[in-house]
PDB file of all heavy atoms in Angstrom:
ATOM      1  N   TRP X   1     154.733 114.859  53.217  1.00  0.00           N
ATOM      2  CA  TRP X   1     155.930 114.037  53.035  1.00  0.00           C
ATOM      3  C   TRP X   1     156.525 113.622  54.365  1.00  0.00           C
ATOM      4  O   TRP X   1     156.967 112.477  54.532  1.00  0.00           O
ATOM      5  CB  TRP X   1     156.981 114.777  52.205  1.00  0.00           C
ATOM      6  CG  TRP X   1     156.645 114.804  50.753  1.00  0.00           C
ATOM      7  CD1 TRP X   1     156.293 115.897  50.021  1.00  0.00           C
ATOM      8  CD2 TRP X   1     156.627 113.698  49.861  1.00  0.00           C
ATOM      9  NE1 TRP X   1     156.050 115.540  48.727  1.00  0.00           N
ATOM     10  CE2 TRP X   1     156.247 114.189  48.591  1.00  0.00           C
ATOM     11  CE3 TRP X   1     156.879 112.340  49.996  1.00  0.00           C
ATOM     12  CZ2 TRP X   1     156.129 113.376  47.481  1.00  0.00           C
ATOM     13  CZ3 TRP X   1     156.755 111.530  48.884  1.00  0.00           C
ATOM     14  CH2 TRP X   1     156.383 112.045  47.643  1.00  0.00           C
ATOM     15  N   ILE X   2     156.542 114.542  55.307  1.00  0.00           N
ATOM     16  CA  ILE X   2     157.109 114.200  56.617  1.00  0.00           C
ATOM     17  C   ILE X   2     156.258 113.141  57.298  1.00  0.00           C
ATOM     18  O   ILE X   2     156.774 112.164  57.836  1.00  0.00           O
ATOM     19  CB  ILE X   2     157.231 115.461  57.496  1.00  0.00           C
ATOM     20  CG1 ILE X   2     158.348 116.356  56.961  1.00  0.00           C
ATOM     21  CG2 ILE X   2     157.506 115.088  58.947  1.00  0.00           C
ATOM     22  CD1 ILE X   2     158.467 117.671  57.667  1.00  0.00           C
ATOM     23  N   ALA X   3     154.959 113.319  57.284  1.00  0.00           N
ATOM     24  CA  ALA X   3     154.075 112.381  57.971  1.00  0.00           C
ATOM     25  C   ALA X   3     154.037 111.025  57.267  1.00  0.00           C
ATOM     26  O   ALA X   3     153.997 109.980  57.914  1.00  0.00           O
ATOM     27  CB  ALA X   3     152.678 112.960  58.078  1.00  0.00           C
ATOM     28  N   ALA X   4     154.044 111.023  55.928  1.00  0.00           N
ATOM     29  CA  ALA X   4     153.866 109.777  55.189  1.00  0.00           C
ATOM     30  C   ALA X   4     155.174 109.034  54.937  1.00  0.00           C
ATOM     31  O   ALA X   4     155.216 107.814  55.030  1.00  0.00           O
ATOM     32  CB  ALA X   4     153.186 110.061  53.853  1.00  0.00           C
ATOM     33  N   GLN X   5     156.225 109.734  54.599  1.00  0.00           N
ATOM     34  CA  GLN X   5     157.460 109.072  54.175  1.00  0.00           C
ATOM     35  C   GLN X   5     158.692 109.476  54.967  1.00  0.00           C
ATOM     36  O   GLN X   5     159.604 108.673  55.124  1.00  0.00           O
ATOM     37  CB  GLN X   5     157.732 109.380  52.692  1.00  0.00           C
ATOM     38  CG  GLN X   5     156.604 109.041  51.772  1.00  0.00           C
ATOM     39  CD  GLN X   5     156.331 107.551  51.704  1.00  0.00           C
ATOM     40  OE1 GLN X   5     157.230 106.752  51.877  1.00  0.00           O
ATOM     41  NE2 GLN X   5     155.096 107.194  51.460  1.00  0.00           N
ATOM     42  N   GLY X   6     158.730 110.704  55.413  1.00  0.00           N
ATOM     43  CA  GLY X   6     159.950 111.253  55.997  1.00  0.00           C
ATOM     44  C   GLY X   6     160.469 110.482  57.194  1.00  0.00           C
ATOM     45  O   GLY X   6     161.653 110.171  57.277  1.00  0.00           O
ATOM     46  N   ALA X   7     159.589 110.144  58.127  1.00  0.00           N
ATOM     47  CA  ALA X   7     160.038 109.450  59.327  1.00  0.00           C
ATOM     48  C   ALA X   7     160.608 108.071  58.990  1.00  0.00           C
ATOM     49  O   ALA X   7     161.604 107.649  59.565  1.00  0.00           O
ATOM     50  CB  ALA X   7     158.891 109.322  60.326  1.00  0.00           C
ATOM     51  N   VAL X   8     159.992 107.382  58.043  1.00  0.00           N
ATOM     52  CA  VAL X   8     160.481 106.056  57.660  1.00  0.00           C
ATOM     53  C   VAL X   8     161.839 106.170  56.974  1.00  0.00           C
ATOM     54  O   VAL X   8     162.764 105.404  57.263  1.00  0.00           O
ATOM     55  CB  VAL X   8     159.457 105.355  56.742  1.00  0.00           C
ATOM     56  CG1 VAL X   8     160.016 104.059  56.210  1.00  0.00           C
ATOM     57  CG2 VAL X   8     158.164 105.124  57.477  1.00  0.00           C
ATOM     58  N   LEU X   9     161.980 107.129  56.075  1.00  0.00           N
ATOM     59  CA  LEU X   9     163.254 107.305  55.376  1.00  0.00           C
ATOM     60  C   LEU X   9     164.365 107.715  56.335  1.00  0.00           C
ATOM     61  O   LEU X   9     165.504 107.244  56.214  1.00  0.00           O
ATOM     62  CB  LEU X   9     163.099 108.326  54.251  1.00  0.00           C
ATOM     63  CG  LEU X   9     162.161 107.910  53.110  1.00  0.00           C
ATOM     64  CD1 LEU X   9     162.002 109.048  52.119  1.00  0.00           C
ATOM     65  CD2 LEU X   9     162.674 106.657  52.434  1.00  0.00           C
ATOM     66  N   VAL X  10     164.047 108.578  57.286  1.00  0.00           N
ATOM     67  CA  VAL X  10     165.052 108.982  58.264  1.00  0.00           C
ATOM     68  C   VAL X  10     165.431 107.796  59.143  1.00  0.00           C
ATOM     69  O   VAL X  10     166.610 107.607  59.472  1.00  0.00           O
ATOM     70  CB  VAL X  10     164.557 110.172  59.110  1.00  0.00           C
ATOM     71  CG1 VAL X  10     165.461 110.434  60.299  1.00  0.00           C
ATOM     72  CG2 VAL X  10     164.467 111.415  58.240  1.00  0.00           C
ATOM     73  N   PHE X  11     164.466 106.959  59.515  1.00  0.00           N
ATOM     74  CA  PHE X  11     164.779 105.778  60.319  1.00  0.00           C
ATOM     75  C   PHE X  11     165.719 104.848  59.559  1.00  0.00           C
ATOM     76  O   PHE X  11     166.689 104.335  60.133  1.00  0.00           O
ATOM     77  CB  PHE X  11     163.501 105.034  60.708  1.00  0.00           C
ATOM     78  CG  PHE X  11     163.758 103.811  61.518  1.00  0.00           C
ATOM     79  CD1 PHE X  11     164.127 103.910  62.851  1.00  0.00           C
ATOM     80  CD2 PHE X  11     163.658 102.553  60.955  1.00  0.00           C
ATOM     81  CE1 PHE X  11     164.380 102.780  63.605  1.00  0.00           C
ATOM     82  CE2 PHE X  11     163.912 101.419  61.705  1.00  0.00           C
ATOM     83  CZ  PHE X  11     164.272 101.536  63.030  1.00  0.00           C
ATOM     84  N   ILE X  12     165.468 104.624  58.283  1.00  0.00           N
ATOM     85  CA  ILE X  12     166.361 103.789  57.471  1.00  0.00           C
ATOM     86  C   ILE X  12     167.747 104.414  57.412  1.00  0.00           C
ATOM     87  O   ILE X  12     168.766 103.719  57.534  1.00  0.00           O
ATOM     88  CB  ILE X  12     165.763 103.561  56.072  1.00  0.00           C
ATOM     89  CG1 ILE X  12     164.514 102.689  56.181  1.00  0.00           C
ATOM     90  CG2 ILE X  12     166.786 102.929  55.137  1.00  0.00           C
ATOM     91  CD1 ILE X  12     163.718 102.605  54.901  1.00  0.00           C
ATOM     92  N   ALA X  13     167.813 105.732  57.244  1.00  0.00           N
ATOM     93  CA  ALA X  13     169.106 106.420  57.217  1.00  0.00           C
ATOM     94  C   ALA X  13     169.829 106.274  58.563  1.00  0.00           C
ATOM     95  O   ALA X  13     171.057 106.095  58.594  1.00  0.00           O
ATOM     96  CB  ALA X  13     168.913 107.892  56.879  1.00  0.00           C
ATOM     97  N   LEU X  14     169.095 106.316  59.666  1.00  0.00           N
ATOM     98  CA  LEU X  14     169.716 106.152  60.979  1.00  0.00           C
ATOM     99  C   LEU X  14     170.310 104.753  61.140  1.00  0.00           C
ATOM    100  O   LEU X  14     171.389 104.594  61.714  1.00  0.00           O
ATOM    101  CB  LEU X  14     168.696 106.403  62.090  1.00  0.00           C
ATOM    102  CG  LEU X  14     168.241 107.845  62.268  1.00  0.00           C
ATOM    103  CD1 LEU X  14     167.153 107.920  63.331  1.00  0.00           C
ATOM    104  CD2 LEU X  14     169.389 108.745  62.616  1.00  0.00           C
ATOM    105  N   VAL X  15     169.624 103.748  60.634  1.00  0.00           N
ATOM    106  CA  VAL X  15     170.145 102.383  60.704  1.00  0.00           C
ATOM    107  C   VAL X  15     171.435 102.269  59.889  1.00  0.00           C
ATOM    108  O   VAL X  15     172.416 101.654  60.325  1.00  0.00           O
ATOM    109  CB  VAL X  15     169.085 101.366  60.225  1.00  0.00           C
ATOM    110  CG1 VAL X  15     169.676  99.985  60.068  1.00  0.00           C
ATOM    111  CG2 VAL X  15     167.915 101.345  61.187  1.00  0.00           C
ATOM    112  N   VAL X  16     171.447 102.883  58.708  1.00  0.00           N
ATOM    113  CA  VAL X  16     172.645 102.848  57.863  1.00  0.00           C
ATOM    114  C   VAL X  16     173.800 103.584  58.553  1.00  0.00           C
ATOM    115  O   VAL X  16     174.930 103.094  58.583  1.00  0.00           O
ATOM    116  CB  VAL X  16     172.342 103.447  56.470  1.00  0.00           C
ATOM    117  CG1 VAL X  16     173.612 103.660  55.670  1.00  0.00           C
ATOM    118  CG2 VAL X  16     171.369 102.557  55.718  1.00  0.00           C
ATOM    119  N   VAL X  17     173.530 104.752  59.119  1.00  0.00           N
ATOM    120  CA  VAL X  17     174.568 105.516  59.815  1.00  0.00           C
ATOM    121  C   VAL X  17     175.098 104.729  61.006  1.00  0.00           C
ATOM    122  O   VAL X  17     176.313 104.689  61.253  1.00  0.00           O
ATOM    123  CB  VAL X  17     174.020 106.896  60.259  1.00  0.00           C
ATOM    124  CG1 VAL X  17     174.958 107.579  61.243  1.00  0.00           C
ATOM    125  CG2 VAL X  17     173.782 107.774  59.051  1.00  0.00           C
ATOM    126  N   TYR X  18     174.214 104.092  61.761  1.00  0.00           N
ATOM    127  CA  TYR X  18     174.646 103.299  62.911  1.00  0.00           C
ATOM    128  C   TYR X  18     175.552 102.144  62.475  1.00  0.00           C
ATOM    129  O   TYR X  18     176.600 101.912  63.087  1.00  0.00           O
ATOM    130  CB  TYR X  18     173.429 102.759  63.666  1.00  0.00           C
ATOM    131  CG  TYR X  18     173.791 101.948  64.880  1.00  0.00           C
ATOM    132  CD1 TYR X  18     174.177 102.573  66.061  1.00  0.00           C
ATOM    133  CD2 TYR X  18     173.756 100.566  64.856  1.00  0.00           C
ATOM    134  CE1 TYR X  18     174.527 101.839  67.173  1.00  0.00           C
ATOM    135  CE2 TYR X  18     174.098  99.819  65.967  1.00  0.00           C
ATOM    136  CZ  TYR X  18     174.474 100.466  67.119  1.00  0.00           C
ATOM    137  OH  TYR X  18     174.827  99.726  68.221  1.00  0.00           O
ATOM    138  N   GLY X  19     175.169 101.449  61.429  1.00  0.00           N
ATOM    139  CA  GLY X  19     175.992 100.341  60.918  1.00  0.00           C
ATOM    140  C   GLY X  19     177.347 100.828  60.443  1.00  0.00           C
ATOM    141  O   GLY X  19     178.381 100.209  60.737  1.00  0.00           O
ATOM    142  N   TRP X  20     177.361 101.932  59.705  1.00  0.00           N
ATOM    143  CA  TRP X  20     178.630 102.487  59.215  1.00  0.00           C
ATOM    144  C   TRP X  20     179.522 102.903  60.387  1.00  0.00           C
ATOM    145  O   TRP X  20     180.726 102.599  60.405  1.00  0.00           O
ATOM    146  CB  TRP X  20     178.349 103.683  58.300  1.00  0.00           C
ATOM    147  CG  TRP X  20     179.589 104.389  57.886  1.00  0.00           C
ATOM    148  CD1 TRP X  20     180.437 104.042  56.888  1.00  0.00           C
ATOM    149  CD2 TRP X  20     180.133 105.574  58.495  1.00  0.00           C
ATOM    150  NE1 TRP X  20     181.475 104.940  56.832  1.00  0.00           N
ATOM    151  CE2 TRP X  20     181.311 105.892  57.810  1.00  0.00           C
ATOM    152  CE3 TRP X  20     179.730 106.393  59.545  1.00  0.00           C
ATOM    153  CZ2 TRP X  20     182.089 106.979  58.151  1.00  0.00           C
ATOM    154  CZ3 TRP X  20     180.510 107.475  59.877  1.00  0.00           C
ATOM    155  CH2 TRP X  20     181.681 107.758  59.179  1.00  0.00           C
ATOM    156  N   ALA X  21     178.946 103.591  61.369  1.00  0.00           N
ATOM    157  CA  ALA X  21     179.736 104.073  62.503  1.00  0.00           C
ATOM    158  C   ALA X  21     180.274 102.916  63.339  1.00  0.00           C
ATOM    159  O   ALA X  21     181.431 102.941  63.778  1.00  0.00           O
ATOM    160  CB  ALA X  21     178.900 105.011  63.367  1.00  0.00           C
ATOM    161  N   MET X  22     179.466 101.887  63.557  1.00  0.00           N
ATOM    162  CA  MET X  22     179.932 100.750  64.346  1.00  0.00           C
ATOM    163  C   MET X  22     181.057 100.005  63.619  1.00  0.00           C
ATOM    164  O   MET X  22     182.022  99.570  64.252  1.00  0.00           O
ATOM    165  CB  MET X  22     178.779  99.807  64.669  1.00  0.00           C
ATOM    166  CG  MET X  22     177.777 100.409  65.642  1.00  0.00           C
ATOM    167  SD  MET X  22     178.488 100.957  67.194  1.00  0.00           S
ATOM    168  CE  MET X  22     178.846  99.399  67.954  1.00  0.00           C
ATOM    169  N   ASN X  23     180.950  99.872  62.299  1.00  0.00           N
ATOM    170  CA  ASN X  23     182.050  99.261  61.537  1.00  0.00           C
ATOM    171  C   ASN X  23     183.320 100.089  61.673  1.00  0.00           C
ATOM    172  O   ASN X  23     184.412  99.546  61.817  1.00  0.00           O
ATOM    173  CB  ASN X  23     181.668  99.113  60.067  1.00  0.00           C
ATOM    174  CG  ASN X  23     180.726  97.959  59.838  1.00  0.00           C
ATOM    175  OD1 ASN X  23     180.690  97.019  60.605  1.00  0.00           O
ATOM    176  ND2 ASN X  23     179.956  98.046  58.774  1.00  0.00           N
ATOM    177  N   ARG X  24     183.166 101.396  61.616  1.00  0.00           N
ATOM    178  CA  ARG X  24     184.316 102.293  61.764  1.00  0.00           C
ATOM    179  C   ARG X  24     184.938 102.149  63.150  1.00  0.00           C
ATOM    180  O   ARG X  24     186.167 102.071  63.285  1.00  0.00           O
ATOM    181  CB  ARG X  24     183.864 103.726  61.527  1.00  0.00           C
ATOM    182  CG  ARG X  24     184.975 104.727  61.561  1.00  0.00           C
ATOM    183  CD  ARG X  24     184.476 106.092  61.098  1.00  0.00           C
ATOM    184  NE  ARG X  24     185.462 107.075  61.405  1.00  0.00           N
ATOM    185  CZ  ARG X  24     185.281 108.088  62.246  1.00  0.00           C
ATOM    186  NH1 ARG X  24     184.128 108.243  62.847  1.00  0.00           N
ATOM    187  NH2 ARG X  24     186.240 108.941  62.482  1.00  0.00           N
ATOM    188  N   PHE X  25     184.099 102.087  64.199  1.00  0.00           N
ATOM    189  CA  PHE X  25     184.610 101.913  65.560  1.00  0.00           C
ATOM    190  C   PHE X  25     185.346 100.584  65.695  1.00  0.00           C
ATOM    191  O   PHE X  25     186.396 100.502  66.336  1.00  0.00           O
ATOM    192  CB  PHE X  25     183.475 101.968  66.585  1.00  0.00           C
ATOM    193  CG  PHE X  25     182.847 103.326  66.738  1.00  0.00           C
ATOM    194  CD1 PHE X  25     181.576 103.441  67.271  1.00  0.00           C
ATOM    195  CD2 PHE X  25     183.494 104.481  66.359  1.00  0.00           C
ATOM    196  CE1 PHE X  25     180.979 104.670  67.425  1.00  0.00           C
ATOM    197  CE2 PHE X  25     182.911 105.723  66.504  1.00  0.00           C
ATOM    198  CZ  PHE X  25     181.642 105.820  67.042  1.00  0.00           C
ATOM    199  N   GLU X  26     184.789  99.530  65.109  1.00  0.00           N
ATOM    200  CA  GLU X  26     185.436  98.221  65.187  1.00  0.00           C
ATOM    201  C   GLU X  26     186.773  98.214  64.455  1.00  0.00           C
ATOM    202  O   GLU X  26     187.740  97.609  64.927  1.00  0.00           O
ATOM    203  CB  GLU X  26     184.520  97.144  64.620  1.00  0.00           C
ATOM    204  CG  GLU X  26     183.349  96.833  65.516  1.00  0.00           C
ATOM    205  CD  GLU X  26     182.400  95.823  64.931  1.00  0.00           C
ATOM    206  OE1 GLU X  26     182.667  95.306  63.820  1.00  0.00           O
ATOM    207  OE2 GLU X  26     181.372  95.551  65.567  1.00  0.00           O
TER     208      GLU X  26
END
């Protein structure tokens, strides 16, 4: 799961967290 899906799912989650945090900062 980590090799096949985990890294991609975590990357998507990081993009969502970054967008949420930047909106909050703004």
Side-chain angles (χ1 to χ4, degrees):
W1 284 112
I2 289 175
Q5 305 294 331
V8 173
L9 295 175
V10 169
F11 179 74
I12 292 170
L14 290 176
V15 170
V16 169
V17 167
Y18 181 78
W20 174 82
M22 291 304 288
N23 284 335
R24 184 171 168 243
F25 291 159
E26 288 177 2

